[in-house]
Amino acid sequence: MSKFSQCSVRNRLLAALPADDFARIRNHLDPVTLNRSDVIVEANAPIEHVYFLEAGVTSIVTRTVRGRRIEIGLVGRDGFAGVPVLLGADRTPHETFMQVGGSALRMRAEAFHQALEQSPALQKLLLRFVQVFHLQTAQTAACNGSQKVSRRLARWLLMCHDRLDGDELPLTHEFIAVMLAVRRPGVTEALQELETADIIRTERRNIVVLDRRKLEETAGDAYGVPEAEYERLIGPFR
């Protein structure tokens, strides 16, 4: 018997479910700890579980023919990992791994399918999240193709800040370079630009957000569209 109640979950999708629908799936949710770099959805392999994040941040990445990884989306406690299962697929060419360690409520794919059949409310809620995630990936593509690195960096830091507690983001220059699809010197220059403006402070393997308002101003219209859609369709984002 599951030992947690709906009021104790931190995942915003599970918290938004009607109580009866949450009760149907509660005993199929297993708490798991996830470490940084853990792969929770392997590329081109059967997806055995979906993960409702409680803490931490996942990155969904694609690989180029030369093996370079590029982030196409990220998810935290606002959503879940394993979207292809919801859409009727059993695998995906994209990999999902933990960029910041945390925890999740894990559900076997078979139980997830059954829950979707029994709960129209669950299916509707998760499809709304897919709409938000689609906007996020579209925004990422638009930003990567049209925005300078400092603005893309500001947007990405805001997205991580939204999904983590406090103002410290445990991220390295190398990791950010992978996520933004730019070379490390470009990341270092952009971080220095934000630090000089007293928007962030960089530490070893850590970035501290000092002024979120200024960070939002730097990101400009690169940030905010998916977040507003989340609040319209699902509820409070942060």
Side-chain angles (χ1 to χ4, degrees):
M1 189 74 176
S2 189
K3 296 181 179 180
F4 57 86
S5 62
Q6 187 175 15
C7 64
S8 69
V9 300
R10 302 187 68 198
N11 181 274
R12 290 193 168 88
L13 295 179
L14 294 180
L17 271 177
D20 290 345
D21 293 272
F22 178 81
R24 290 192 186 98
I25 67 172
R26 182 180 58 187
N27 293 334
H28 297 288
L29 297 170
D30 297 319
V32 292
T33 298
L34 300 168
N35 299 312
R36 183 180 180 181
S37 299
D38 281 356
V39 176
I40 59 177
V41 176
E42 295 186 23
N44 302 308
I47 302 174
E48 298 181 352
H49 299 90
V50 298
Y51 294 79
F52 293 90
L53 272 290
E54 293 269 276
V57 180
T58 67
S59 281
I60 300 89
V61 297
T62 186
R63 287 184 182 269
T64 68
V65 293
R66 295 184 178 181
R68 184 182 182 188
R69 292 194 302 177
I70 299 175
E71 184 181 77
I72 57 175
L74 59 83
V75 175
R77 58 193 175 207
D78 57 303
F80 76 105
V83 165
V85 180
L86 171 66
L87 301 179
D90 68 339
R91 65 194 68 203
T92 173
H94 301 143
E95 177 185 276
T96 301
F97 72 97
M98 298 299 296
Q99 65 167 268
V100 178
S103 60
L105 296 174
R106 186 175 67 181
M107 189 175 188
R108 292 194 63 83
E110 296 88 344
F112 183 70
H113 279 301
Q114 293 174 3
L116 292 173
E117 293 176 357
Q118 297 170 1
S119 174
L122 174 64
Q123 185 178 74
K124 180 179 180 180
L125 181 66
L126 298 187
L127 286 174
R128 287 186 169 191
F129 171 74
V130 172
Q131 160 67 3
V132 174
F133 185 74
H134 170 73
L135 290 178
Q136 184 197 123
T137 58
Q139 191 83 350
T140 296
C143 290
N144 287 351
S146 63
Q147 302 287 4
K148 64 179 184 178
V149 175
S150 60
R151 178 162 288 194
R152 289 160 57 189
L153 173 62
R155 170 184 180 257
W156 191 74
L157 292 177
L158 285 166
M159 292 168 68
C160 291
H161 192 240
D162 287 340
R163 293 163 172 84
L164 296 171
D165 294 323
D167 295 323
E168 296 189 6
L169 312 178
L171 307 166
T172 66
H173 290 206
E174 294 87 350
F175 187 83
I176 296 172
V178 170
M179 296 303 99
L180 294 182
V182 297
R183 297 185 181 277
R184 181 177 171 179
V187 170
T188 300
E189 182 179 341
L191 285 169
Q192 289 174 346
E193 182 179 332
L194 297 181
E195 190 163 24
T196 299
D198 294 325
I199 297 173
I200 63 170
R201 182 175 71 247
T202 59
E203 301 173 348
R204 180 175 173 79
R205 304 180 69 85
N206 202 45
I207 296 171
V208 182
V209 176
L210 300 177
D211 193 324
R212 181 178 169 101
R213 182 183 61 79
K214 287 185 179 179
L215 195 61
E216 291 179 354
E217 290 175 354
T218 302
D221 60 6
Y223 171 82
V225 173
E227 291 75 18
E229 185 75 343
Y230 190 99
E231 296 203 351
R232 184 180 76 85
L233 294 177
I234 297 171
F237 186 73
R238 299 187 68 227

